[in-house]
Amino acid sequence: DTDAQSHIKLLVNAGFEQALEPDAKVDIGAGVAYTRGLDGGGDTFLTANVTVDKNFQDSVMTLAYERDITNPTGLTDEISIRDTLTFVWDHTLKRDLFASFYAGLAKNRTEPDHRVDINSYIAEVSGNWRPRRWVIIGAGLSHYQQWPGDNLGIGLTRNKVFLNVTFIGGEWRF
């Protein structure tokens, strides 16, 4: 794609999905991205993704890795590279009661001058209850931490408690 500031990003991807056993599968993909920065220089980068899903009687576990490349922004005028590793465990406790655990690690950096180098992780536990077909009530806790890869900047820590109510439009019956 191109935009008014002459950023160019060409991306070619290939991948496949394979069942490992009746309850497990793997999805693997890779690609090559060519992108030109604001300074007019171009470079080639590798992209990748791997996802493994495992189904159990009452739960699903997913482990995933992804490398993504984005065009330069005004912040650094450099190519952004993001490597992410995530784990999700969704569990059905009862027919209308669900629990979930999410954990993620990420590394964000820029090329070629490495002006941005940030690491982060997040861990979250949540639950949902569906007392009626048209409403879901949820709650959870999350912890997020970010720190610079070069130890020169200041880190960030954020803890969050959340409550939510979701109404499902097509099911509004009492």
Side-chain angles (χ1 to χ4, degrees):
D1 64 42
T2 62
D3 64 24
Q5 295 181 352
S6 298
H7 300 209
I8 295 176
K9 180 179 177 184
L10 303 172
L11 179 63
V12 177
N13 280 324
F16 69 93
E17 183 177 297
Q18 176 67 44
L20 301 174
E21 55 187 59
D23 297 337
K25 69 177 181 176
V26 64
D27 180 357
I28 299 174
V32 176
Y34 172 82
T35 185
R36 187 172 77 194
L38 295 175
D39 64 358
D43 221 338
T44 303
F45 300 93
L46 298 177
T47 63
N49 66 287
V50 177
T51 303
V52 178
D53 291 317
K54 174 70 174 160
N55 294 314
F56 298 94
Q57 182 176 349
D58 294 325
S59 65
V60 177
M61 289 185 180
T62 301
L63 181 64
Y65 166 78
E66 181 178 18
R67 169 173 278 189
D68 190 32
I69 310 296
T70 58
N71 284 329
T73 64
L75 179 63
T76 64
D77 296 338
E78 294 188 308
I79 307 302
S80 295
I81 301 171
R82 178 178 175 92
D83 290 297
T84 308
L85 179 66
T86 57
F87 172 75
V88 180
W89 180 29
D90 291 321
H91 186 70
T92 302
L93 302 170
K94 290 186 175 184
R95 186 176 64 83
D96 58 356
L97 191 61
F98 311 94
S100 183
F101 173 75
Y102 172 87
L105 292 167
K107 179 166 187 68
N108 293 286
R109 66 185 190 284
T110 58
E111 296 278 345
D113 294 332
H114 307 286
R115 291 182 193 147
V116 173
D117 186 2
I118 297 173
N119 303 297
S120 62
Y121 76 84
I122 186 168
E124 180 175 298
V125 177
S126 62
N128 290 303
W129 175 45
R130 190 170 188 172
R132 301 273 188 254
R133 290 180 8 168
W134 52 270
V135 66
I136 300 171
I137 301 167
L141 304 166
S142 72
H143 174 75
Y144 174 82
Q145 186 154 1
Q146 174 181 299
W147 66 97
D150 56 13
N151 294 324
L152 296 176
I154 297 174
L156 167 73
T157 300
R158 180 177 49 229
N159 294 307
K160 185 170 57 170
V161 175
F162 57 90
L163 300 170
N164 54 46
V165 177
T166 304
F167 295 100
I168 302 162
E171 300 291 337
W172 285 46
R173 293 181 213 120
F174 293 91

